[in-house]
Amino acid sequence: MPGLQTSNDVARVSPASSVPGQALTAAHRKALRELLADAVSFDEPLAPKTSMRVGGPAAAFATVKDVNTLVALLKFCTRESITWTVLGLGSNVLVNDAGFSGLVIRLGGDFTRVTVTKTMLRAGGAAPIVALCREAARAGLAGAEALVGIPGTVGGAVRMNAGTQVEIGDLVRRIEVIVAGEDVQTYTLPEFAYRSSTLDSRTVVCAAELELRQGDTPTVQAELLRHIERRNATQPLELPNSGSIFRNPPGDYAARLIESAGCKGLRMGGAQVSEKHANFIVNRGGATCADVLALIDEVRETVKRTHGVDLELEVHIL
């Protein structure tokens, strides 16, 4: 995959959901400028657009605010076999130090809207999960409060079936999507499993409809605040991080395994296993993606040697 290092350490890390193809050419850059005007930039630094604050630039970076433009852009990428991916808030992703040799798409505008109709909530794919939770609480709708601890967007959360005490897939009733190369937006309801869905890499989540239940507004808002306070108390939000690094293995917790293996506080360059929550890696300052990946490998190997458990990544790599 373009942009992915080929050293033994890095190659063991699972790539993100990007569509493989060729790197951008000068002709591609010209065509993208004609298609998107000022909504596209080139050699755009990605580290500031991710919560870990590491990684190199994107060959092209486009902000798309409506369905018609997204359809046209994805048809162009499909026709020209350009590597592309969608980047939300960058909270569950690490960008390789070499950067990304294709097109990174960020959704905005129409894709950020959240609306409520009775007990149904529709949230755009680029809407932050926290905005979804706050709109639900404002309307007195219960069921989504625990999701407020997820730092990403609705689209990313749906794709990976993110969750804490509740998984977003438990609440989703319909998803609006665009499949790269197709002419129109369509609807689907994928199958969900732990930290995964059947959505493939060519599918972009435009919006999701969630079914909640009617509750008492003050009670729902108080419950939402309780989850926010718990997240603030248990997660290392004071330092750049990419959220949970590993999936919880069946019947156990990755954080428990990492801490009991003696990895809490372990450091590689500017990256450190959080002393607050062992399933987080934080950027103590000046970390590179290589530092983070080396630390991931060291934690994996130590947990495997100590407990006989193979930890699977939850974070994605571009």
Side-chain angles (χ1 to χ4, degrees), residues 16-313:
S17 296
S18 59
V19 176
Q22 61 176 315
L24 251 62
T25 66
H28 292 149
R29 293 181 179 227
K30 180 180 179 181
L32 285 169
R33 179 66 75 189
E34 292 173 352
L35 178 63
L36 299 170
D38 293 338
V40 65
S41 57
F42 301 103
D43 304 312
E44 180 75 17
L46 290 179
K49 303 180 189 302
T50 71
S51 58
M52 184 64 91
R53 301 291 190 264
V54 300
F61 184 89
T63 301
V64 178
K65 298 182 178 181
D66 63 86
V67 167
N68 290 337
T69 303
L70 182 58
V71 167
L73 180 58
L74 294 181
K75 288 182 73 174
F76 170 77
C77 291
T78 300
R79 184 172 65 249
E80 297 295 323
S81 298
I82 294 172
T83 298
W84 62 271
T85 191
V86 175
L87 179 69
L89 298 180
S91 59
N92 190 47
V93 65
L94 293 171
V95 177
N96 194 272
D97 293 323
F100 188 75
S101 63
L103 169 68
V104 174
I105 301 168
R106 173 162 282 176
L107 304 180
D110 293 345
F111 299 105
T112 64
R113 294 176 181 168
V114 180
T115 57
V116 176
T117 305
K118 296 183 179 179
T119 58
M120 298 298 295
L121 182 147
R122 180 188 181 277
I129 288 291
V130 66
L132 178 158
C133 294
R134 286 175 175 164
E135 286 301 315
R138 188 174 291 117
L141 296 181
E145 300 93 314
L147 296 178
V148 75
I150 299 169
T153 60
V154 170
V158 167
R159 179 174 292 281
M160 68 170 291
N161 192 23
T164 51
Q165 297 174 20
V166 62
E167 294 177 334
I168 196 168
D170 297 332
L171 306 174
V172 169
R173 296 297 174 263
R174 187 171 76 163
I175 300 173
E176 302 169 20
V177 301
I178 292 174
V179 178
E182 296 187 358
D183 292 324
V184 295
Q185 179 177 279
T186 55
Y187 303 91
T188 187
L189 181 59
E191 295 179 8
F192 294 102
Y194 176 67
R195 297 298 178 266
S196 66
S197 74
T198 52
L199 293 171
D200 67 29
S201 60
R202 295 177 57 248
T203 302
V204 177
V205 176
C206 299
E209 294 182 5
L210 283 66
E211 184 176 8
L212 305 176
R213 62 181 187 276
Q214 192 62 53
D216 172 71
T217 299
T219 301
V220 175
Q221 291 180 332
E223 182 69 4
L224 184 65
L225 180 60
R226 185 180 72 81
H227 284 285
I228 292 173
E229 290 174 343
R230 181 180 182 278
R231 178 190 175 214
N232 292 343
T234 59
Q235 297 182 11
L237 305 181
E238 68 280 3
L239 291 170
N241 68 83
S242 56
S244 296
I245 295 293
F246 299 104
R247 300 180 180 188
N248 288 324
D252 211 334
Y253 294 95
R256 188 198 71 79
L257 293 169
I258 295 166
E259 183 170 356
S260 64
C263 294
K264 202 170 189 180
L266 186 66
R267 188 163 180 169
M268 295 275 186
Q272 183 183 37
V273 177
S274 170
E275 296 176 310
K276 193 172 189 179
H277 191 307
N279 198 21
F280 281 66
I281 289 176
V282 296
N283 183 347
R284 301 290 308 186
T288 64
C289 187
D291 291 338
V292 179
L293 295 177
L295 188 53
I296 285 172
D297 273 346
E298 181 64 24
V299 169
R300 270 178 155 172
E301 291 169 4
T302 303
V303 169
K304 174 66 173 178
R305 184 170 61 251
T306 305
H307 297 292
V309 176
D310 288 309
L311 291 177
E312 295 182 19
L313 278 186

